[in-house]
Amino acid sequence: MIYLIGGARPNFMKIAAISRAFEKYDINYEIIHTGQHYDYNMDKIFFEEFGLKKPLVHLEVGSGPHGEQTAKIMERFERLCFDARPSMVFTVGDVNSTMAAALVAAKMHIPIAHQEAGMRSHDMKMPEEVNRIVTDHVSDFLFPISPKDQSNLHMEGIDRDKIYLVGDPMIDNLLYYIDKIPDMTCEKYILVELHRPANVDDKDKLKTILQALDKLRDHAQILFPLHPRTRKMIEEFELTDLLKNVECWDPIGYFEFIKYMKNATVVITDSDGIQQETSILNIPCVSIRDTTNIGYTVKYGTNVLVEVNINKIFAAATYPLYHDPFKSNFPKQLKKLNDGNASERIAEVLINVKKKFFI
Ligand code: UD1
């Protein structure tokens, strides 16, 4: 029995594609939900939209400081593993739930798989970078999404026999649903999704970003589904006035988000996943980040990085409003890795080791 670990919003798109592949290949799995995210729009909506199976166990950890949240997941997941002894713990992404589950499994000598292995921002101030490095170094099956991530693992000395370059289940999921999502005919608009602590927990940076959005409003409508962290910080820093001309919403589900992303003239974000999805869909993307973990989106895709500066954000975001958009130009290998079958390649790897691990 494989335990597939999910906890936070960006996990569920990957779990959806991996579950479909596990079902197709008749691989025995259960979803374990840590409860890192718990609001309907950050969690249950994805189970409903993707038809995911109900989690076998819900650890109900909720929000909290990193140490506390990680410790709660570890304590509760360890208890579960003591009783149930899964044959493998399968982790995705880079959230606290990913690292916590991997650490528990490592200490109990339960084989660990990590999807999205090898991704690096080389910025240890990002909590996700710590989660990625720790998870990779205790994992037995590492599934990078790109050749760059694979070579990061090689450079860190991880045994090459453990690494399987398969591509990206999040893109599998996007390609699975994209044609079912309607096009819209509407005026030009900019879609915004921001939630990184480096941007939204710093008052000056958050203010600068909101001032840039306010300035952009003279050129296009701004649609801004607010992540709970972002909403909380805007209120705490008393910056709500800067949003008076911006269309703010609660977080939206996958289908709605993809619909707005697919039809946007430009997307402004600090999310990893959205940088990838926009490049696949040929939508111009302005990433408010100093570094990106997904260099291929800048090199071959539609993504540009900008620092937190009103004029730079404004210039990058207005360009696609008045010029023909750039198109992605992926080399052959990246096209192949983003062909929508990464999860099946993962399933095939696991089937091949089935006897050894009694999956
Ligand atoms: C987490 C991940 C981040 C991921 C993001 C996607 C870590 C370290 N960070 O960041 O990598 O990109 O999820 O959303 O794992 N909150 C709610 N409702 C919820 C969940 C959270 O209101 O359902 C609020 C709480 O006040 C909480 C805050 O949002 O304190 C932040 O949530 P948290 O899970 O700590 O981090 P994220 O910023 O969501």
Side-chain angles (χ1 to χ4, degrees):
M1 170 69 67
I2 295 181
Y3 277 180
L4 186 49
I5 312 301
R9 181 169 70 175
N11 295 158
F12 302 122
M13 299 83 206
K14 298 158 196 171
I15 286 179
I18 293 167
S19 303
R20 277 194 296 277
F22 281 5
E23 276 157 30
K24 181 169 170 188
Y25 284 76
D26 224 1
I27 291 174
N28 209 0
Y29 77 100
E30 292 289 353
I31 296 174
I32 307 298
H33 197 317
T34 65
Q36 177 173 344
H37 284 174
Y38 42 81
D39 283 349
Y40 175 79
N41 285 349
M42 300 291 287
D43 166 25
K44 281 190 198 62
I45 191 166
F46 304 108
F47 281 77
E48 290 171 9
E49 288 184 323
F50 303 143
L52 293 178
K53 72 160 133 176
K54 190 172 177 284
L56 177 72
V57 176
H58 199 300
L59 302 177
E60 292 177 352
V61 299
S63 300
H66 286 263
E68 184 184 309
Q69 188 177 59
T70 307
K72 273 188 186 166
I73 299 169
M74 288 183 70
E75 193 187 354
R76 295 176 194 184
F77 186 57
E78 185 177 58
R79 224 176 293 139
L80 173 68
C81 288
F82 264 129
D83 294 339
R85 287 272 154 195
S87 54
M88 174 178 278
V89 169
F90 196 109
T91 61
V92 302
D94 56 13
V95 301
N96 287 344
S97 304
T98 311
M99 180 187 71
L103 276 178
V104 167
K107 300 287 177 85
M108 296 181 73
H109 306 166
I110 298 168
I112 304 159
H114 183 211
Q115 180 280 323
E116 213 177 85
M119 196 180 267
R120 298 288 182 268
S121 64
H122 304 290
D123 176 1
M124 285 298 277
K125 290 209 173 78
M126 290 181 77
E128 294 82 4
E129 185 75 353
V130 178
N131 293 342
R132 288 188 276 257
I133 292 173
V134 172
T135 306
D136 285 342
H137 283 263
V138 296
S139 286
D140 305 281
F141 295 88
L142 295 98
F143 296 109
I145 67 165
S146 76
K148 175 79 179 105
D149 297 357
Q150 181 187 37
S151 73
N152 288 336
L153 295 170
H154 292 165
M155 281 194 299
E156 289 175 21
I158 290 179
D159 184 351
R160 289 178 185 230
D161 291 345
K162 296 180 178 176
I163 304 169
Y164 303 88
L165 178 59
V166 287
D168 193 348
M170 188 190 66
I171 300 303
D172 296 353
N173 203 49
L174 180 71
L175 299 179
Y176 183 80
Y177 285 112
I178 194 69
D179 292 335
K180 303 173 182 97
I181 308 276
D183 282 328
M184 299 191 298
T185 42
C186 54
E187 281 178 36
K188 287 182 179 179
Y189 63 86
I190 299 172
L191 179 65
V192 183
E193 204 289 327
L194 296 165
H195 67 273
R196 293 276 158 211
N199 286 331
V200 307
D201 289 6
D202 178 313
K203 183 175 180 182
D204 292 337
K205 285 189 177 170
L206 184 56
K207 187 173 175 187
T208 304
I209 295 168
L210 299 186
Q211 284 170 333
L213 297 183
D214 191 50
K215 195 169 164 192
L216 283 164
R217 180 61 190 93
D218 294 338
H219 297 261
Q221 199 183 1
I222 315 281
L223 309 183
F224 193 1
L226 283 175
H227 186 284
R229 174 189 286 278
T230 311
R231 180 181 289 279
K232 193 167 95 183
M233 299 320 290
I234 290 171
E235 284 165 9
E236 206 170 302
F237 295 146
E238 298 178 356
L239 298 172
T240 19
D241 264 10
L242 286 169
L243 289 172
K244 59 183 182 300
N245 297 317
V246 170
E247 187 101 14
C248 289
W249 302 328
D250 282 338
I252 51 181
Y254 185 76
F255 295 154
E256 218 181 340
F257 192 80
I258 297 295
K259 180 180 79 182
Y260 285 110
M261 182 163 68
K262 181 181 175 179
N263 294 290
T265 311
V266 54
V267 176
I268 298 177
T269 193
D270 56 15
S271 142
D272 292 338
I274 295 169
Q275 295 175 56
Q276 292 165 262
E277 290 172 336
T278 47
S279 279
I280 297 292
L281 298 178
N282 272 314
I283 309 294
C285 181
V286 175
S287 295
I288 306 185
R289 295 275 290 265
D290 296 334
T291 56
T292 178
N293 333 328
I294 317 127
Y296 80 79
T297 61
V298 175
K299 197 164 175 193
Y300 306 110
T302 56
N303 187 23
V304 289
L305 299 188
V306 293
E307 57 190 89
V308 181
N309 170 296
I310 297 181
N311 295 333
K312 288 185 181 168
I313 297 171
F314 180 80
T318 43
Y319 186 89
L321 294 173
Y322 300 110
H323 299 86
D324 284 341
F326 327 109
K327 291 264 178 257
S328 296
N329 187 16
F330 295 135
K332 228 174 167 179
Q333 189 187 20
L334 274 175
K335 276 192 191 148
K336 171 78 190 120
L337 288 165
N338 287 305
D339 64 357
N341 298 316
S343 307
E344 298 203 2
R345 289 190 279 274
I346 289 174
E348 280 162 13
V349 170
L350 298 183
I351 289 286
N352 285 334
V353 293
K354 191 171 173 177
K355 284 201 189 98
K356 198 165 158 199
F357 290 105
F358 306 105
I359 290 165

